[in-house]
Structures are given as C-alpha cells and as structure tokens.
Amino acid sequence: MEIRNIAIIAHVDHGKTTLTDCILRHTGAVTAKEDRERIMDSNALEQEKGITILAKNTSVKYKGTRINIVDTPGHADFGGEVERVLSMTDCTLLLVDAFDGPMPQTRFVLGKSLQLGHKPIVVVNKVDREGARPGFSVDKVFDLFSDLGATEEQLDFPIVYASAKQGWAVNNLSEVPGANIEPILDMVLAHVPPVKRDSDKALQFQVTALDYNEYVGRIAIGKIYQGTMKKGADVTLAKTNGTTANYKITKLYGYEGLTRYEIDEAGSGDIVAMAGIPDVFIGDTVCDMGNPLPLPAIQVEEPTVSMFFMVNNSPFAGKEGKFVTTRNLRERLDRELETNVALRLEETEDKDRFKILGRGELHLSILIENMRREGYELQVSRPEVIIKHNEAGEKIEPYETLVMDLPDQYTGAVIQELNRRKGELTGMDAHTSGITRVEYIIPTRGIIGFRGHFISETRGEGVMSSRFLRFDKYKGEIPGRKNGALISMDSGESTAYALWKVQERGDLFIEPQVSVYPGMILGMNSRDSDLEVNPVREKKLTNVRASGSDEAIRLVPPKKLTLEQSIEFLDDDELLEVTPQSLRLRKKVLDASMRKRSSGGR
C-alpha cells in the first residue's frame, strides 16, 4: 500500500482540527462513539480553550492509499511542536481563512515547511463565511510565498476552496459545493509524492514525540526514514549527545484513525510508536544493532520569555495542594523538559526557585495550568523577556510581529497604547466591513500585559495575534501597569461590609467570605499607587435604634481573573500563588513596613 505523509498547518483558529475531523469522518476512521467536535483535541485544556496545544498524528485509508496526517498547533507559543513534527512529513496542507488571509503564525509554519522542501497545497477555508475574500487571501498567500524565498516550483501551488465546518471542498469557486471533501484528498494523492520504501536499508527511526504508559513505560513516536523495525528486535539508540546504547523493542504500534494498535513490523515511511527504551528523548535515532546512523538533531528556535517557578511560601502554603515540596516541583519540571522541546530550565542560587524559559506567556501558562490540575502548588513571577548581547556587546531583545483586527472606532486608543509600549506601526488596512487591520513590530516586553488592555479597549470585539520576529536593539524602559494594587492589611475572612467600603477605591478581584492574608492583592486601585485596605472589618453593632433603615450594602460583582489574566496583571514586585483550588495575587514582600523600605518609601 502506498503511503502519503502530510501535516496540516495554519494560523490559530483557521480550521486545521475541523478539517482533520472531516477527513476522519469521510474515510470512516472514527466510530460513532468517538465522533464529536474537534476529535483530535483530546487534551482537556485543548477542549476548554478551543485551540490545539500538542501535535498529534492519525492515519486514514483513501482509495487504496494510507494517508498519515499530523495535526499541528496554530498558536505561535507552541511553535516547538510544529518544528519537531514537520520533518516527519513530505508535504503540508496550508489552511488560510478566506476572510483573514495569512496571519503571523502562517508565515512561521509556512517558512518551516518551505525550508524542508515541501510543495504545499493551499486550502482556502471558510469560503462560506460572511465577508469572505478568497481572491484576496490567495493573492496574499502568493506574496507570502515570494517573501519567504519559495522556489518557482513551490510558487506554483495547487489551490482548493473549502468549508471544513460544513464538510465540503471544491477545486474552483464556480463549482457547486458537493457533500464531501474528496477534492482535498484527491489533491493529496495527485500532488504529494509517495513515500520511498527503503525497507532493505539500515534502520533509521527518529523520535519526534514521547508518550508514557504505566505498563510499558516510555513510548517513542516518530517516522521510520529507512529500514524495517520489528517487535522484539535488538537496536542501538544513537543519542543527540553522541553516545549510544543497546536495547530491545518490546512493543510496536501503528495508527488507524484515533486508535493505536500493536503491530509486529513496520517499514520506511511509516509513522509508528515503540516501547522498550527507558531513556529515549526527542531527536534521538533508533538504528540497527551495532550500526548507529544518527539523523541530524531537530532544531528548535530559542525561547524568548522566562518566569521563575517557586515553592509556595505564603501563609496558606500546603493547605490545598498535594505536591508542595522542592523535590516535587523539580521532578515535575524535569519530566516536562523530556517532552516539551521548546522549554528550558536554568538553575538559580536559591534551591527553591527555578528559572523556566519558554516561547511566550501562553506556552508557560499551559504548563502552570497542567501542574495545578495534577495537584501541584507553586508560585510564579511576572514573565520577563530574555535579553542577549550581540557581537558588538550591545543589548538586544526579542521583537514580535503583532496583527490586530478591530472595529474602526477603537483603533485610535489601541495605537496610542502600543506607541506608549515602544511599538512601530508598519501597516493599516481598512476593510469594507468596518474592521481595520493594524500591524505592528513591537518588543516582546511591550506585548506582556497588553492582551487584557486590548480586550477591554475593544469591548471584546478585537482579535490579536503575534509571532516572534527577531532579536534587535534594546528599546529602553517600557512603562508597565498603569494602576496600583489594593492590598490586604489584615488576615481573616473578607466581609461584605468591608468590601463595600473598599470597592470605591477600584476594581475588586474577590467576593465576601474569602480567606485573605496581609500582602495579598484584592483588586486593582483606580490610582497609580498601591493602597492598603482592610477587607475583614465588620460593622460595629450598637444598641441605638436607627430612625430609618440602614444603608443597603450593594457590592459590584468582582472581576474574576483567569490564570492568563492573573499572569498579565503581575508587576515586578508581585507573585501569583497557584494551587489546585485557587489563584491568589500577592506582593513578594508581605510585610507592609518591609515593603515600604525595600521600595524606597513608595
């Protein structure tokens, strides 16, 4: 049976996972029990957030051909997932929204695909969307191919128009939409080269993903580049650091739809999973016994943002978490490093404090959310960009391309804020629908904390996305949060009466009957300075009867911050306490007098 290996790539929310669902349904690769919306998003966080976080592979059969499909993340923060799995494939389906056209992440993933020599098939998705501009999108895609240095052969890309949500595709917009997406699958068979079956050569299997099973141990997932892999065979593991070791393959798995099933043998071109090597890592090569032929290591772009992960030392430490010690935290981070290739860990002088480097705020916040769901308790600091020095000794910092689609009436306020954050306007394009696209090049420092302001300023109607561009000259100081914090001066349980008095000072993050401690942040001050307040004060009771009814206590509903919003809110002198049950903002120095001394009396 012939094999085609493809990856589906696109900007976030352009329909990759929905298209994969259509392919699985059309080819009968999923059962009625397995069928649901966004079938491939198996992770609980992926289903909640509606985005793909981890790259996943599946396999379908169509017209006598096996098509191995890799569904990739669309968010820039998970670019490490894309970089390591594209090498397994021979071609890509590039999805582009018919309304949005190419977005920042489109450039990133397409550039990686072109570098590997792929000849992408362009799928213009959501052509049924109101205001869709398929012609505009195709022109912009061609311009993007040219900007990325595509060859003449790559520039002659085939195009399919589709509505993955409705489950149809056509080769030409003049055609009447059919009832299926066969035009896309037919295009794959016609334009994707079949895998060369070099099964008689020496084995080369490169690991691109890891899984774990409590019965068989670590499972390595990857592509067999050449040779044959057999269950029970003795093999040599060639590690990326140059060392080798011998092992036996205890289990071998193939893929069919959503199912991973045991097989006895697989040949070149197959994407498989294998067990039996306890210390295998991403990028390692499995070879024939005594014949190590390592493949080039998988190259992943460097991290741009760092955060400190610390053992929780607040007054409420250990009350809600299951794993609270330094050893627990270290073991969990080491385990994450094994599979998350874009993550780095740096030791600090404090044994209870770890510096974690990643690709962005979302990349790190997903790790934090997973840890709290597993029962971990920790504290994290404000995200900081990674500053480097060039050959001339000058400070350089990461810059990003920022693209926003927002209603015309909000553009002035957003542009003013981005200019304050040292951004540089590179383009504006007004749509006929009253939406303006604004493009900026801005230091990553300027984007940290901007998303919440953007959502508030555009009344939730704006859409923004960014992508790492390059390291460039340091821009100097960038103003941080405009507002100060409302800080608790006492411990106990918050009361409605006390919060009623406090809410006049700003926006509250907590409601009554919440346990608080001194130094804990209760809300955002309406002014630019911090303010200490008493949230536990109770109303004094007297035996004097009031002539009229007491003034009614009316509380404004508190602003409940998500994990991402809490991280965005943080200032340099603040921490976020994360437990399985709670998110608490706090000052690094809890004691008010010591805090004033350390801040110079601010």
Side-chain angles (χ1 to χ4, degrees):
M1 183 182 290
E2 283 194 345
I3 296 176
R4 305 289 199 281
N5 291 328
I6 63 169
I8 302 180
I9 60 174
H11 183 80
V12 65
D13 202 32
H14 278 199
K16 299 177 302 303
T17 304
T18 306
L19 178 62
T20 308
D21 290 354
C22 290
I23 294 173
L24 289 168
R25 291 190 186 105
H26 183 72
T27 56
V30 291
T31 63
K33 186 178 180 181
E34 294 170 327
D35 199 356
R36 57 177 170 76
E37 188 179 354
R38 299 198 315 275
I39 302 167
M40 293 293 285
D41 285 346
S42 54
N43 184 289
L45 269 179
E46 292 177 321
Q47 294 174 21
E48 289 175 23
K49 293 180 177 291
I51 61 172
T52 301
I53 297 170
L54 302 172
K56 301 172 207 67
N57 52 288
T58 185
S59 179
V60 300
K61 291 176 182 174
Y62 179 70
K63 292 184 178 179
T65 302
R66 178 183 293 279
I67 303 175
N68 293 320
I69 303 169
V70 180
D71 181 25
T72 63
H75 200 287
D77 284 20
F78 309 113
E81 290 284 314
V82 180
E83 290 166 321
R84 65 180 172 81
V85 297
L86 280 184
S87 59
M88 289 198 300
T89 62
D90 304 306
C91 186
T92 49
L93 294 184
L94 175 68
L95 258 70
V96 180
D97 190 302
F99 178 82
D100 293 335
M103 294 289 276
Q105 183 68 359
T106 313
R107 170 180 284 270
F108 172 79
V109 293
L110 177 60
K112 295 294 178 185
S113 177
L114 294 176
Q115 287 171 18
L116 291 168
H118 294 165
K119 298 165 190 170
I121 297 169
V122 175
V123 180
V124 182
N125 193 27
K126 304 186 184 182
V127 293
D128 58 326
R129 180 179 173 182
E130 185 180 349
R133 306 174 294 169
F136 162 84
S137 297
V138 171
D139 291 342
K140 289 295 184 183
V141 169
F142 186 86
D143 293 343
L144 182 57
F145 270 72
S146 300
D147 290 346
L148 292 171
T151 64
E152 298 235 350
E153 205 173 359
Q154 289 172 327
L155 282 169
D156 188 23
F157 50 81
I159 305 170
V160 183
Y161 302 92
S163 170
K165 189 174 183 179
Q166 294 191 11
W168 57 261
V170 293
N171 292 308
N172 195 301
L173 284 173
S174 60
E175 296 178 28
V176 178
N180 56 55
I181 51 152
E182 286 196 2
I184 295 177
L185 295 171
D186 290 335
M187 193 74 78
V188 168
L189 297 187
H191 289 272
V192 179
V195 171
K196 293 180 181 178
R197 306 290 274 176
D198 296 329
S199 298
D200 55 338
K201 293 186 177 181
L203 175 63
Q204 282 185 313
F205 166 85
Q206 188 164 43
V207 181
T208 54
L210 293 173
D211 198 358
Y212 184 81
N213 182 290
E214 60 183 9
Y215 298 108
V216 300
R218 187 173 297 180
I219 298 173
I221 303 166
K223 174 185 173 182
I224 302 174
Y225 285 83
Q226 64 179 40
T228 302
M229 183 175 274
K230 296 180 181 180
K231 178 182 175 181
D234 293 318
V235 292
T236 294
L237 177 69
K239 298 187 72 64
T240 52
N241 61 10
T243 62
T244 61
N246 297 329
Y247 297 94
K248 182 188 288 289
I249 298 174
T250 57
K251 297 283 185 181
L252 192 60
Y253 303 94
Y255 289 89
E256 183 73 47
L258 303 182
T259 307
R260 186 161 68 190
Y261 62 96
E262 281 197 50
I263 56 177
D264 294 323
E265 185 176 317
S268 61
D270 287 327
I271 295 175
V272 297
M274 55 84 64
I277 306 179
D279 60 346
V280 65
F281 288 100
I282 290 171
D284 293 348
T285 308
V286 177
C287 313
D288 283 332
M289 173 70 92
N291 187 20
L293 298 170
L295 289 162
I298 297 171
Q299 298 297 321
V300 177
E301 288 189 7
E302 291 297 309
T304 57
V305 174
S306 68
M307 290 175 75
F308 286 104
F309 284 43
M310 293 159 274
V311 172
N312 188 13
N313 62 1
S314 84
F316 295 163
K319 290 185 176 181
E320 298 174 357
K322 182 179 178 183
F323 305 107
V324 299
T325 65
T326 303
R327 181 175 57 82
N328 294 148
L329 187 58
R330 178 61 191 254
E331 287 176 353
R332 178 61 180 84
L333 292 174
D334 285 341
R335 195 162 70 248
E336 185 70 23
L337 291 170
E338 293 179 6
T339 56
N340 199 331
V341 293
L343 207 67
R344 304 281 187 277
L345 183 148
E346 289 184 2
E347 302 286 352
T348 66
E349 293 180 359
D350 185 349
K351 64 180 179 64
D352 294 335
R353 194 165 176 253
F354 305 97
K355 187 176 183 180
I356 303 297
L357 292 73
R359 294 284 278 267
E361 286 179 84
L362 185 59
H363 184 206
L364 296 172
S365 69
I366 291 295
L367 169 59
I368 297 167
E369 181 64 33
N370 280 326
M371 289 177 67
R372 73 181 293 225
R373 291 184 181 207
E374 293 166 16
Y376 286 84
E377 192 174 295
L378 67 154
Q379 292 180 148
V380 296
S381 68
R382 182 175 189 262
E384 298 175 358
V385 301
I386 297 169
I387 305 295
K388 298 183 178 181
H389 291 82
N390 59 17
E391 295 177 356
E394 299 172 322
K395 284 171 70 174
I396 56 175
E397 65 176 325
Y399 280 68
E400 300 196 20
T401 300
L402 175 64
V403 177
M404 299 160 290
D405 288 329
L406 62 159
D408 297 342
Q409 64 265 36
Y410 304 131
T411 54
V414 170
I415 287 173
Q416 183 179 2
E417 177 65 17
L418 287 172
N419 290 342
R420 188 180 79 91
R421 292 169 175 262
K422 305 291 179 74
E424 179 184 334
L425 181 66
T426 57
M428 282 185 70
D429 178 22
H431 298 180
T432 54
S433 56
I435 299 294
T436 299
R437 172 165 292 182
V438 182
E439 298 183 16
Y440 262 81
I441 293 177
I442 183 170
T444 301
R445 286 184 298 140
I447 294 181
I448 293 175
F450 172 70
R451 190 176 299 273
H453 175 88
F454 176 79
I455 292 172
S456 173
E457 201 65 58
T458 62
R459 310 300 188 267
E461 297 180 49
V463 177
M464 64 171 277
S465 58
S466 61
R467 178 191 67 87
F468 171 70
L469 180 63
R470 61 175 182 266
F471 274 87
D472 211 331
K473 189 175 179 182
Y474 186 74
K475 275 273 191 175
E477 290 300 316
I478 292 179
R481 194 176 73 211
K482 290 181 179 179
N483 300 80
L486 298 174
I487 308 165
S488 173
M489 63 169 62
D490 208 342
S491 60
E493 212 170 70
S494 59
T495 65
Y497 176 74
L499 295 181
W500 178 55
K501 296 290 186 182
V502 172
Q503 70 181 5
E504 301 172 359
R505 303 289 191 172
D507 298 326
L508 287 172
F509 298 157
I510 66 165
E511 66 268 341
Q513 297 183 325
V514 171
S515 296
V516 299
Y517 54 80
M520 180 173 157
I521 295 173
L522 311 173
M524 182 170 65
N525 192 6
S526 58
R527 300 179 182 274
D528 60 0
S529 58
D530 292 340
L531 178 67
E532 289 189 62
V533 295
N534 186 349
V536 300
R537 182 175 56 173
E538 296 182 354
K539 185 178 181 181
K540 293 285 190 295
L541 300 177
T542 69
N543 59 1
V544 178
R545 182 172 295 182
S547 58
S549 61
D550 288 342
E551 189 176 353
I553 295 176
R554 293 188 178 90
L555 288 175
V556 177
K559 183 178 180 182
K560 290 287 190 177
L561 298 185
T562 63
L563 176 63
E564 287 82 7
Q565 289 171 335
S566 299
I567 291 172
E568 278 196 350
F569 181 83
L570 286 173
D571 214 339
D572 291 334
D573 64 339
E574 296 165 356
L575 297 173
L576 174 63
E577 180 185 352
V578 181
T579 76
Q581 299 175 27
S582 309
L583 296 171
R584 301 186 187 94
L585 292 159
R586 53 159 288 186
K587 289 293 182 180
K588 286 183 180 177
V589 181
L590 297 178
D591 184 80
S593 57
M594 292 179 63
R595 193 162 59 241
K596 286 177 182 177
R597 283 200 296 270
S598 62
S599 62
R602 180 190 168 192

